[in-house]
Every structure is written in C-alpha cells, then in structure tokens.
Amino acid sequence: MGFALQYCCSLLFVTVLLPAVLCCSQDFFVSSRATFYASPDSLGNPTGACGFGEYGRTVNGGEVSGVSGLYKNGTGCGACYQVRCKNPQYCSEDGAKIVVTDYGEGDRTDFILSLRAYTKLARPNMVVELQAYGVVDIEYQSIPCQYPGSNLMFKVHEHSRFPEYLAIVILYQAGVNEITSVEVWQNDCQQWRGMRRAYGAVWDMANPPRGALDLRFQVSGSAGVKWMQMRNVIPSDWKAGAAYETGIQLA
C-alpha cells in the first residue's frame, strides 16, 4: 500500500455497536452524470484532495472517483457508491462500486471516475463505445464499503513531525456514515482535545499529547450521531508514514 504497517499492541474498546451505526445503506438511486479521467495505469490519483496518497490510487482495485457536491469539504472522503449508467445498449446492470478519493468537477457531473471504474459501467465489448460519450447519465446510491480482511487503520501522514505535529488519515473506513470529528485524550488535564480537519480526510494537531494516544471520532448518519472511542491506537513512538491497525472491521 505504499507505507509501512505497524500494529497497535492493545485491543480497543468501542462505545457503540458497529453494525447498527455503520452498515445501513440507502435503498434508492439518485440521478446524475459521470465522466472519467485518464491515467497511465487506469488507477486513482495519488495526489487526490482527500489526502489518501498511494492508498487512494490502488484502494478497491483502483475503482475510485473524484466527486464534487458529494465531497462535502472532505467529509465525503472514503464513502462508497454504486454507480450505474442508464443507456441499456452500452451499460451493464450492476455498474461500478467506487470509493471517493478525490475532488473533481465536470460538466454537471457528480462523479469523475478512474478509467478502471468507468469501464465497469459498460457491457462486455462496449467499453470503447461508452468512452466515446465522454459524459453519461447515471444513477447512484450510497453503499457500505467492502474491505475483506482489512481492519480500520490510522495512518500518520508523511508531513507529521514527531513529536510536535501530528496529522492522521483514517483508512479502510466502511459503512455509509460520515466521520465528522476526531479528538485526542489529553491525560494531564483530563479532557478531549479536538483535531482540525486540515483538508480532505486529513486531521491534524500541533503539540499532541505524549505517550500512546487514545482517540475518539464522531460518526453521523441515518442512525444519528455516535462516538467511537479507541485506547492506545497510536503508540508513543509514532512515526510519519506508518499506519496503525485498530483491530476493528467496520463491516
């Protein structure tokens, strides 16, 4: 995935029941338009506005998308959608299941798909014909993300500087709810300190607490607003570029 993996030693405790909060999907489709962008390998953009880096290029097999209105100032990063086009002559029934990794505006489009994702919209042997349209009418719905065998991770962003500046990115977020707030426990004053959304899915903090870090984050969706709390999720000797596994699968 382009970064070293390190694992938290202690398992975490969670303040909410994950399936109830994070697994509900919409049961209706919304009409819109989609286009695609070309890249040499047909995958995602490693410099996308969500801040995912290499993960944003290859996650979900490179079936990813930039979005405009659905970006929601970065809150929409990591969301998953089923996208299918409407021309029965060229379009497949299931379409593509994509992960939002970037921001992008097109000709009245909600999605700018990677070429690998765009080809999934087409029926077999109809890819070239569908590409010729450039922009197609589509319908989409929000769905849970599928990451078999992968747990939620916190990646320490490469721009972090131990110990005075910490930036994190949340990877393998599943469900259809949005993460709207992230906080770190400040043990010496016995209170939670809010992290700032720097951009996209990147949260940061100057002068973070010393020692292993307890985090909590707020999720918002159809089930309301809930907090998830995790102990010692980031070790005391955290390193820029490392990712720390939580032991939780947001199925």
Side-chain angles (χ1 to χ4, degrees):
M1 292 190 301
F3 49 80
L5 288 182
Q6 300 184 21
Y7 295 91
C8 265
C9 297
S10 61
L11 207 66
L12 321 166
F13 68 89
V14 183
T15 59
V16 296
L17 185 63
L18 296 180
V21 177
L22 295 170
C23 296
C24 298
S25 64
Q26 297 176 3
D27 58 359
F28 60 89
F29 282 84
V30 179
S31 295
S32 184
R33 284 154 58 87
T35 186
F36 65 93
Y37 62 90
S39 62
D41 52 15
S42 302
L43 301 178
N45 178 9
T47 59
C50 287
F52 288 139
E54 184 68 12
Y55 168 91
R57 189 178 76 86
T58 59
V59 66
N60 196 40
E63 294 175 26
V64 298
S65 181
V67 293
S68 51
L70 296 171
Y71 182 75
K72 304 176 185 177
N73 294 320
T75 302
C77 289
C80 292
Y81 294 92
Q82 180 183 5
V83 180
R84 60 193 189 193
C85 57
K86 294 182 176 181
N87 186 325
Q89 181 178 358
Y90 300 123
C91 299
S92 66
E93 292 184 4
D94 293 332
K97 297 178 180 179
I98 62 92
V99 180
V100 174
T101 59
D102 202 355
Y103 176 87
E105 295 184 4
D107 179 13
R108 294 179 289 116
T109 61
D110 276 309
F111 296 90
I112 302 182
L113 302 167
S114 67
L115 187 57
R116 185 164 295 194
Y118 191 86
T119 59
K120 287 292 184 72
L121 300 182
R123 290 182 177 275
N125 304 318
M126 289 293 179
V127 173
V128 174
E129 289 81 358
L130 191 63
Q131 282 182 284
Y133 275 83
V135 179
V136 293
D137 292 325
I138 58 105
E139 57 185 11
Y140 69 90
Q141 68 171 348
S142 178
I143 59 173
C145 302
Q146 300 295 324
Y147 300 120
S150 296
N151 294 323
L152 185 75
M153 290 183 179
F154 288 87
K155 180 187 175 184
V156 179
H157 197 277
E158 287 82 355
H159 291 167
S160 298
R161 300 183 304 276
F162 182 84
E164 66 268 15
Y165 173 72
L166 173 66
I168 62 170
V169 188
I170 301 172
L171 308 180
Y172 296 114
Q173 174 188 343
V176 296
N177 292 261
E178 297 171 341
I179 294 176
T180 56
S181 182
V182 180
E183 297 182 343
V184 177
W185 178 250
Q186 183 86 37
N187 193 56
D188 55 3
C189 55
Q190 294 292 292
Q191 67 180 17
W192 290 98
R193 287 177 56 194
M195 300 189 78
R196 177 184 71 114
R197 186 188 292 278
Y199 66 94
V202 180
W203 300 81
D204 69 354
M205 170 182 285
N207 301 313
R210 300 299 177 94
L213 299 180
D214 297 351
L215 297 182
R216 70 176 184 176
F217 57 90
Q218 187 181 71
V219 293
S220 177
S222 59
V225 177
K226 303 287 184 181
W227 283 95
M228 294 179 58
Q229 184 172 323
M230 302 179 178
R231 296 191 62 181
N232 301 326
V233 66
I234 297 179
S236 58
D237 59 345
W238 53 265
K239 296 176 176 61
Y244 302 101
E245 185 175 316
T246 67
I248 291 174
Q249 278 192 333
L250 303 185

